[in-house]
Amino acid sequence: MKAAKTAFLAGAMVLSTGFATNWAVTVTETPAGHLIGNPDAEIKLAEYVSYTCSHCAEFARSGDPVLKLVYVRSGKVSVEIRHMLRDPIDLTAAMLTHCGAPDKFAQNHSIFMLKQNEWFPIAVNSTPAQQQRWSVPDRAAAHRAIASDLDFYEIMETRGYQRSEVDRCLADSAKETKLIQASRADSERLGIRGTPSFTINDRLLDGVHRWQELQIALDERTKPAPADGQ
């Protein structure tokens, strides 16, 4: 009887631990981005975003928290963040979100989106001399100039990064090439023309660019099937 009771309690603990898993804090690096959630989720959502896109920043504020809490946390939905690179600023920000271990990505991504209203006006009002520095052939120097002019170093410092670590990430030419190639391939393969855009199980959701629209699409796929006879 005691052994049976012990086995029962052990089984209950396993079940409890399984139900308590918070998939929203699980991050896996992928060939083209980072996946947040259960890698084996039935519904695989992908966000195609640009850091210089105001609509993407709005989605990060209004949609991402609900998406993770309601849909990703349970393990039924995963979300992969993939980059649509529109300009050198986008590329620099994307390289910094990838800086460090994969489990740092989600917060790196969020902080660049949530602080967009602070750094993007600086970019809009940049001088011709600044823009010239951002386009020099030495790509690492160009990324450093962008990071300096737009206060990216200060943003990364709030995430616990030293300047030397940031510079190493900005000089990662292999990562730069990988991000550029993935962005181009996704744009051509899916015909993406605006951001944010979304796919579910690798199928583009036409006309879906806001959280309200995406939520409807997710609810259609996650609601329980009706019981027989109903």
Side-chain angles (χ1 to χ4, degrees):
M1 179 65 71
K2 185 177 180 180
K5 183 177 180 181
T6 302
F8 172 80
L9 290 174
M13 290 175 65
V14 170
L15 288 174
S16 175
T17 302
F19 282 120
T21 299
N22 180 6
W23 286 107
V25 298
T26 301
V27 182
T28 307
E29 189 167 6
T30 67
H34 285 79
L35 184 142
I36 302 170
N38 179 5
D40 298 319
E42 177 185 348
I43 298 170
K44 301 182 186 301
L45 171 70
E47 294 180 25
Y48 296 84
V49 298
S50 160
Y51 292 104
T52 57
C53 160
S54 61
H55 298 294
C56 297
E58 173 57 30
F59 181 84
R61 289 189 294 269
S62 63
D64 271 340
V66 184
L67 173 63
K68 291 175 183 176
L69 179 64
V70 178
Y71 299 90
V72 175
R73 183 186 179 97
S74 68
K76 189 168 186 178
V77 177
S78 65
V79 55
E80 183 179 8
I81 309 296
R82 298 168 73 108
H83 306 285
M84 287 286 102
L85 304 175
R86 307 193 301 182
D87 50 54
I89 298 172
D90 254 338
L91 177 57
T92 301
M95 291 177 72
L96 292 180
T97 63
H98 284 248
C99 194
D103 61 3
K104 292 186 176 183
F105 171 79
Q107 292 301 317
N108 289 346
H109 168 76
S110 292
I111 199 168
F112 274 95
M113 286 299 191
L114 298 180
K115 286 185 172 290
Q116 187 198 82
N117 61 341
E118 297 178 15
W119 59 261
F120 190 61
I122 303 174
V124 172
N125 295 305
S126 59
T127 66
Q130 287 176 308
Q131 295 170 21
Q132 185 175 9
R133 290 199 302 273
W134 300 350
S135 301
V136 296
D138 183 339
R139 298 310 306 148
H143 294 315
R144 290 194 300 270
I146 291 171
S148 179
D149 290 345
L150 303 187
D151 296 333
F152 286 177
Y153 284 106
E154 287 78 0
I155 290 174
M156 295 298 285
E157 185 178 357
T158 67
R159 293 281 300 127
Y161 290 84
Q162 300 295 322
R163 189 182 184 99
S164 58
E165 187 177 4
V166 173
D167 283 342
R168 283 196 299 273
C169 291
L170 293 176
D172 188 344
S173 59
K175 177 67 69 176
E176 178 184 42
T177 299
K178 185 177 180 180
L179 289 170
I180 292 172
Q181 291 178 343
S183 176
R184 289 174 178 169
D186 284 338
S187 180
E188 293 173 2
R189 179 174 62 88
L190 297 168
I192 294 175
R193 295 294 178 264
T195 53
S197 286
F198 306 93
T199 61
I200 290 181
N201 296 340
D202 208 34
R203 297 190 65 176
L204 185 66
L205 302 179
D206 290 330
V208 175
H209 303 286
R210 299 182 302 167
W211 168 242
Q212 295 87 343
E213 299 159 346
L214 178 61
Q215 188 173 29
I216 292 171
L218 287 171
D219 286 344
E220 289 175 347
R221 291 162 174 82
T222 57
K223 64 183 179 182
D228 292 343
Q230 295 184 359

